[in-house]
Short mmCIF file of all heavy atoms in Angstrom, two decimals:
data_model
loop_
_atom_site.label_atom_id
_atom_site.label_comp_id
_atom_site.label_asym_id
_atom_site.label_seq_id
_atom_site.Cartn_x
_atom_site.Cartn_y
_atom_site.Cartn_z
N GLY A 49 -9.01 3.04 0.31
CA GLY A 49 -8.08 2.26 1.14
C GLY A 49 -6.64 2.77 1.09
O GLY A 49 -5.94 2.74 2.10
N GLY A 50 -6.20 3.25 -0.05
CA GLY A 50 -4.84 3.73 -0.18
C GLY A 50 -4.56 5.02 0.57
O GLY A 50 -3.42 5.43 0.73
N LYS A 51 -5.63 5.66 1.05
CA LYS A 51 -5.46 6.90 1.83
C LYS A 51 -5.52 6.62 3.34
O LYS A 51 -5.49 7.54 4.13
CB LYS A 51 -6.54 7.89 1.47
CG LYS A 51 -6.39 8.44 0.05
CD LYS A 51 -7.45 9.49 -0.18
CE LYS A 51 -7.21 10.18 -1.52
NZ LYS A 51 -8.09 11.34 -1.69
N ARG A 52 -5.61 5.33 3.71
CA ARG A 52 -5.72 5.00 5.13
C ARG A 52 -4.35 4.62 5.71
O ARG A 52 -3.64 3.80 5.18
CB ARG A 52 -6.67 3.78 5.32
CG ARG A 52 -8.09 4.15 5.11
CD ARG A 52 -8.98 3.02 5.49
NE ARG A 52 -10.34 3.39 5.11
CZ ARG A 52 -11.24 2.52 4.63
NH1 ARG A 52 -10.90 1.26 4.51
NH2 ARG A 52 -12.41 2.94 4.32
N TRP A 53 -4.05 5.23 6.81
CA TRP A 53 -2.85 4.89 7.57
C TRP A 53 -3.09 3.58 8.26
O TRP A 53 -4.20 3.34 8.72
CB TRP A 53 -2.61 6.03 8.59
CG TRP A 53 -1.22 6.22 9.04
CD1 TRP A 53 -0.08 6.08 8.32
CD2 TRP A 53 -0.81 6.67 10.34
NE1 TRP A 53 1.00 6.40 9.08
CE2 TRP A 53 0.58 6.75 10.34
CE3 TRP A 53 -1.50 7.00 11.50
CZ2 TRP A 53 1.31 7.15 11.43
CZ3 TRP A 53 -0.79 7.40 12.58
CH2 TRP A 53 0.62 7.50 12.56
N PRO A 54 -2.10 2.69 8.41
CA PRO A 54 -2.32 1.39 9.02
C PRO A 54 -2.80 1.47 10.48
O PRO A 54 -2.38 2.35 11.22
CB PRO A 54 -0.95 0.74 8.96
CG PRO A 54 -0.22 1.44 7.87
CD PRO A 54 -0.74 2.84 7.90
N PHE A 55 -3.65 0.55 10.86
CA PHE A 55 -4.21 0.54 12.21
C PHE A 55 -3.15 0.44 13.31
O PHE A 55 -3.29 1.06 14.35
CB PHE A 55 -5.17 -0.65 12.36
CG PHE A 55 -6.53 -0.30 11.81
CD1 PHE A 55 -6.79 -0.46 10.48
CD2 PHE A 55 -7.51 0.18 12.63
CE1 PHE A 55 -8.02 -0.15 9.97
CE2 PHE A 55 -8.73 0.51 12.14
CZ PHE A 55 -9.00 0.36 10.80
N ASP A 56 -2.12 -0.35 13.08
CA ASP A 56 -1.10 -0.48 14.14
C ASP A 56 -0.47 0.86 14.43
O ASP A 56 -0.09 1.17 15.57
CB ASP A 56 -0.08 -1.55 13.78
CG ASP A 56 0.75 -1.21 12.56
OD1 ASP A 56 0.20 -0.70 11.59
OD2 ASP A 56 1.98 -1.47 12.61
N ARG A 57 -0.34 1.69 13.42
CA ARG A 57 0.25 3.04 13.65
C ARG A 57 -0.71 3.95 14.41
O ARG A 57 -0.28 4.69 15.29
CB ARG A 57 0.65 3.67 12.31
CG ARG A 57 1.79 2.91 11.66
CD ARG A 57 2.25 3.58 10.41
NE ARG A 57 3.18 2.73 9.71
CZ ARG A 57 3.67 3.00 8.50
NH1 ARG A 57 3.30 4.11 7.86
NH2 ARG A 57 4.51 2.19 7.93
N PHE A 58 -1.99 3.87 14.09
CA PHE A 58 -2.98 4.65 14.86
C PHE A 58 -2.97 4.17 16.31
O PHE A 58 -3.01 4.97 17.25
CB PHE A 58 -4.40 4.48 14.29
CG PHE A 58 -4.78 5.53 13.29
CD1 PHE A 58 -4.91 5.20 11.95
CD2 PHE A 58 -5.03 6.83 13.66
CE1 PHE A 58 -5.28 6.14 11.01
CE2 PHE A 58 -5.41 7.79 12.71
CZ PHE A 58 -5.52 7.45 11.41
N ALA A 59 -2.90 2.84 16.50
CA ALA A 59 -2.90 2.31 17.88
C ALA A 59 -1.65 2.75 18.64
O ALA A 59 -1.76 3.18 19.81
CB ALA A 59 -2.96 0.77 17.82
N ARG A 60 -0.48 2.66 18.03
CA ARG A 60 0.76 3.09 18.70
C ARG A 60 0.70 4.59 19.00
O ARG A 60 1.15 5.04 20.05
CB ARG A 60 1.98 2.78 17.82
CG ARG A 60 2.35 1.32 17.84
CD ARG A 60 3.66 1.09 17.16
NE ARG A 60 3.69 1.79 15.88
CZ ARG A 60 4.34 1.37 14.83
NH1 ARG A 60 5.01 0.27 14.82
NH2 ARG A 60 4.32 2.07 13.71
N LEU A 61 0.16 5.37 18.07
CA LEU A 61 0.07 6.81 18.28
C LEU A 61 -0.90 7.12 19.42
O LEU A 61 -0.63 7.97 20.25
CB LEU A 61 -0.37 7.51 17.01
CG LEU A 61 -0.35 9.03 17.03
CD1 LEU A 61 1.05 9.54 17.34
CD2 LEU A 61 -0.84 9.60 15.72
N ALA A 62 -2.02 6.40 19.48
CA ALA A 62 -2.95 6.58 20.58
C ALA A 62 -2.28 6.31 21.92
O ALA A 62 -2.45 7.09 22.88
CB ALA A 62 -4.17 5.67 20.40
N GLU A 63 -1.49 5.26 21.99
CA GLU A 63 -0.78 4.93 23.20
C GLU A 63 0.23 6.03 23.58
O GLU A 63 0.36 6.40 24.75
CB GLU A 63 -0.10 3.57 23.03
CG GLU A 63 -1.11 2.46 22.94
CD GLU A 63 -0.57 1.17 22.31
OE1 GLU A 63 0.64 1.11 21.96
OE2 GLU A 63 -1.40 0.23 22.13
N GLN A 64 0.93 6.54 22.58
CA GLN A 64 1.94 7.57 22.85
C GLN A 64 1.28 8.89 23.29
O GLN A 64 1.69 9.52 24.26
CB GLN A 64 2.79 7.83 21.59
CG GLN A 64 3.87 8.84 21.84
CD GLN A 64 4.76 9.00 20.60
OE1 GLN A 64 4.60 8.36 19.59
NE2 GLN A 64 5.71 9.92 20.68
N ILE A 65 0.22 9.29 22.62
CA ILE A 65 -0.46 10.53 22.97
C ILE A 65 -1.05 10.40 24.38
O ILE A 65 -0.91 11.32 25.21
CB ILE A 65 -1.58 10.87 21.95
CG1 ILE A 65 -0.95 11.22 20.61
CG2 ILE A 65 -2.42 12.06 22.46
CD1 ILE A 65 -1.98 11.34 19.47
N SER A 66 -1.67 9.29 24.65
CA SER A 66 -2.25 9.06 25.95
C SER A 66 -1.20 9.12 27.06
O SER A 66 -1.39 9.76 28.10
CB SER A 66 -2.94 7.70 25.98
OG SER A 66 -3.51 7.43 27.22
N ALA A 67 -0.05 8.49 26.83
CA ALA A 67 1.03 8.49 27.81
C ALA A 67 1.61 9.88 28.04
O ALA A 67 1.92 10.24 29.16
CB ALA A 67 2.13 7.50 27.37
N GLU A 68 1.75 10.64 26.95
CA GLU A 68 2.40 11.97 27.07
C GLU A 68 1.47 13.05 27.56
O GLU A 68 1.92 14.01 28.18
CB GLU A 68 3.00 12.35 25.71
CG GLU A 68 4.20 11.53 25.36
CD GLU A 68 4.84 11.92 24.04
OE1 GLU A 68 4.55 13.05 23.55
OE2 GLU A 68 5.64 11.12 23.50
N THR A 69 0.17 12.93 27.31
CA THR A 69 -0.75 14.00 27.67
C THR A 69 -1.73 13.65 28.77
O THR A 69 -2.25 14.53 29.44
CB THR A 69 -1.59 14.47 26.44
OG1 THR A 69 -2.44 13.38 26.05
CG2 THR A 69 -0.71 14.89 25.30
N GLY A 70 -2.03 12.36 28.89
CA GLY A 70 -3.07 11.93 29.83
C GLY A 70 -4.48 12.16 29.31
O GLY A 70 -5.46 11.94 30.00
N TRP A 71 -4.58 12.64 28.05
CA TRP A 71 -5.88 12.93 27.46
C TRP A 71 -6.62 11.61 27.13
O TRP A 71 -6.00 10.57 26.86
CB TRP A 71 -5.74 13.71 26.19
CG TRP A 71 -5.21 15.10 26.34
CD1 TRP A 71 -5.13 15.82 27.50
CD2 TRP A 71 -4.65 15.88 25.31
NE1 TRP A 71 -4.59 17.06 27.23
CE2 TRP A 71 -4.27 17.11 25.89
CE3 TRP A 71 -4.45 15.71 23.95
CZ2 TRP A 71 -3.71 18.15 25.16
CZ3 TRP A 71 -3.89 16.74 23.23
CH2 TRP A 71 -3.51 17.95 23.83
N ALA A 72 -7.93 11.70 27.04
CA ALA A 72 -8.76 10.62 26.56
C ALA A 72 -8.69 10.59 25.03
O ALA A 72 -8.47 11.65 24.39
CB ALA A 72 -10.19 10.82 27.01
N GLY A 73 -8.87 9.42 24.45
CA GLY A 73 -8.89 9.31 22.99
C GLY A 73 -10.32 9.12 22.49
O GLY A 73 -11.13 8.42 23.09
N VAL A 74 -10.65 9.79 21.38
CA VAL A 74 -11.96 9.68 20.76
C VAL A 74 -11.74 9.27 19.31
O VAL A 74 -10.91 9.85 18.61
CB VAL A 74 -12.72 11.02 20.83
CG1 VAL A 74 -14.05 10.93 20.13
CG2 VAL A 74 -12.90 11.47 22.27
N LEU A 75 -12.53 8.29 18.87
CA LEU A 75 -12.51 7.86 17.48
C LEU A 75 -13.72 8.44 16.76
O LEU A 75 -14.82 8.47 17.34
CB LEU A 75 -12.58 6.32 17.35
CG LEU A 75 -11.49 5.53 18.04
CD1 LEU A 75 -11.77 4.05 17.89
CD2 LEU A 75 -10.15 5.89 17.50
N CYS A 76 -13.54 8.88 15.55
CA CYS A 76 -14.64 9.46 14.79
C CYS A 76 -14.53 8.98 13.36
O CYS A 76 -13.44 8.68 12.86
CB CYS A 76 -14.58 10.98 14.88
SG CYS A 76 -16.19 11.73 14.62
N GLY A 77 -15.66 8.93 12.69
CA GLY A 77 -15.69 8.52 11.28
C GLY A 77 -17.12 8.47 10.81
O GLY A 77 -18.06 8.65 11.62
N GLY A 78 -17.31 8.20 9.57
CA GLY A 78 -18.63 8.24 8.99
C GLY A 78 -19.37 6.92 9.02
O GLY A 78 -18.81 5.89 9.40
N PRO A 79 -20.62 6.94 8.61
CA PRO A 79 -21.43 5.73 8.50
C PRO A 79 -20.74 4.75 7.58
O PRO A 79 -20.15 5.14 6.55
CB PRO A 79 -22.76 6.20 7.92
CG PRO A 79 -22.79 7.68 8.21
CD PRO A 79 -21.37 8.14 8.21
#
Side-chain angles (χ1 to χ4, degrees):
K51 292 184 172 188
R52 288 188 186 143
W53 206 35
F55 278 85
D56 64 319
R57 293 183 189 174
F58 268 110
R60 285 189 313 213
L61 187 60
E63 292 160 3
Q64 184 177 357
I65 294 168
S66 179
E68 290 182 15
T69 66
W71 294 343
V74 177
L75 302 178
C76 205

